[in-house]
Amino acid sequence: MRLPTVFIDGDQGTTGLQIHDRLRGRPDLQLVTLPADARKDAQRREQAINECDIAILCLPDGAAREAVGFIRNPNVRVIDASSAHRTQPQWVYGFPEMAEGHAQRIAQARRVTNPGCYPTGAIALLLPLVEAGLLPLDYPLAIHAISGYSGGGRAAIDEYESNDVPCAAPFKVYGLALEHKHTPEIQLHTGLAHRPLFVPSYGAYRQGIVLTVPIDLRLLAVGVDGERLHACLARHYANARHVEVVPLADACAMAHLDPQVLNGTNDMRLGVFVNAERGHVLLSAVFDNLGKGASGAAVQNLELMLAT
């Protein structure tokens, strides 16, 4: 029996290395990568991508578009881990839990675009509430997130881990021009009428994300409270293998959120924290930016595609 061939283009980047580690040694597929001296050879890359069954692109946006342009074999399927195609309508968005039947869409797709790390958490929290009519499309959203420095790629990793570089700051807020590339992705896939205000940051730890969205209940319809928001999320993800909604009673007992608690997994934990007296709710998502936010999601999508 012929094993499916999976080619990782860009396996030496942060995401590519993690995907390679997750797939290495699996007996149910043939994993293909290029040797170091061929990784920038256009002809070798073109040959490899046209000879595989599924290509996983772990490349900068421009190189990912170039790789897709190499494809001549109509049977080649693609998972793009870059941000090059995340708002393109002809690509299937690779978040299996986002809607009923969406995992099947990914399973049957020829072109899948892996979600960004921050959008994974934001969309997980907001889309079910928007679709249920609990969160108005024109709600003035502010999204705050902190990621481990690996979210900044090789340059950020070198900055924090190299002995040749002065000690990096323990905490950095960035994207101060309010034009972060993930914002259009969040708006598109939640259906929001306006761009949310998105404030990202890095902490002095390697990986893991806490993303939070504050909600003022006064701006929601009469009768919509924290319990209804929580029930909506719990119902949406009731059968999701990789997404957990923390029970309200457990959330009430929590004193803090640890961004590293799910590192090394493909899981995401959603929380709803309620202050009924003040009319305030805080939505939260905790997950590994290199897991559910990158390589874990790519492998999850690969599993779905291999099953068809």
Side-chain angles (χ1 to χ4, degrees):
M1 179 179 176
R2 178 183 172 275
L3 294 177
T5 303
V6 176
F7 168 51
I8 304 176
D9 193 1
D11 65 305
Q12 292 305 301
T14 307
T15 299
L17 285 169
Q18 291 259 335
I19 293 173
H20 190 276
D21 287 345
R22 289 170 184 257
L23 297 179
R24 185 173 49 210
R26 282 185 47 162
D28 60 332
L29 56 83
Q30 181 180 354
L31 189 61
V32 176
T33 59
L34 293 177
D37 61 354
R39 289 179 190 135
K40 295 185 179 180
D41 185 322
Q43 287 187 325
R44 294 285 299 277
R45 291 175 60 218
E46 182 173 357
Q47 179 183 359
I49 201 169
N50 281 287
E51 291 179 351
C52 75
D53 294 299
I54 301 178
I56 304 178
L57 310 181
C58 304
L59 303 163
D61 288 4
R65 295 187 187 97
E66 178 187 54
V68 173
F70 287 155
I71 298 174
R72 303 289 179 263
N73 181 352
N75 296 317
V76 173
R77 306 170 77 189
V78 179
I79 298 171
D80 182 10
S82 82
S83 61
H85 301 101
R86 290 175 184 160
T87 58
Q88 299 299 310
Q90 63 270 35
W91 287 68
V92 175
Y93 196 63
F95 184 15
E97 299 89 355
M98 69 186 292
E100 185 177 354
H102 197 72
Q104 188 61 26
R105 287 191 64 206
I106 294 169
Q108 297 173 349
R110 313 303 300 177
R111 301 287 183 266
V112 174
T113 176
N114 226 44
C117 56
Y118 294 128
T120 296
I123 294 165
L125 290 168
L126 299 173
L127 179 58
L129 304 181
V130 169
E131 289 188 332
L134 300 178
L135 190 69
L137 296 181
D138 60 352
Y139 188 94
L141 279 167
I143 301 168
H144 303 263
I146 180 168
S147 170
Y149 56 76
S150 60
R154 178 55 55 190
I157 292 173
D158 289 344
E159 179 183 359
Y160 278 89
E161 296 185 357
S162 174
N163 292 327
D164 300 326
V165 178
C167 184
F171 183 81
K172 291 182 179 181
V173 176
Y174 66 103
L176 300 182
L178 304 179
E179 290 287 352
H180 195 281
K181 68 178 183 178
H182 286 338
T183 310
E185 180 183 348
I186 295 171
Q187 182 183 0
L188 174 67
H189 294 292
T190 55
L192 294 168
H194 308 293
R195 286 169 64 101
L197 182 66
F198 176 50
V199 184
S201 56
Y202 290 138
Y205 62 98
R206 185 175 178 85
Q207 64 197 80
I209 284 177
V210 167
L211 179 143
T212 57
V213 183
I215 301 293
D216 191 331
L217 294 175
R218 294 174 299 174
L219 302 180
L220 306 188
V222 174
V224 177
D225 56 15
E227 287 74 15
R228 286 189 64 185
L229 299 179
H230 179 272
C232 177
L233 292 175
R235 183 167 54 250
H236 184 92
Y237 296 109
N239 298 313
R241 176 183 174 189
H242 292 292
V243 182
E244 170 197 2
V245 179
V246 178
L248 274 176
D250 293 352
C252 288
M254 295 173 67
H256 67 276
L257 293 169
D258 179 358
Q260 303 179 87
V261 69
L262 294 177
N263 282 359
T265 77
N266 190 45
D267 298 332
M268 178 163 52
R269 185 172 297 157
L270 306 182
V272 179
F273 301 89
V274 182
N275 185 325
E277 181 181 356
R278 305 296 184 186
H280 291 163
V281 170
L282 185 69
L283 309 176
S284 70
V286 177
F287 56 105
D288 184 354
N289 60 290
L290 298 181
K292 189 61 172 168
S295 59
V299 172
Q300 184 181 358
N301 290 328
L302 176 66
E303 299 280 9
L304 291 169
M305 296 168 76
L306 288 172
T308 59

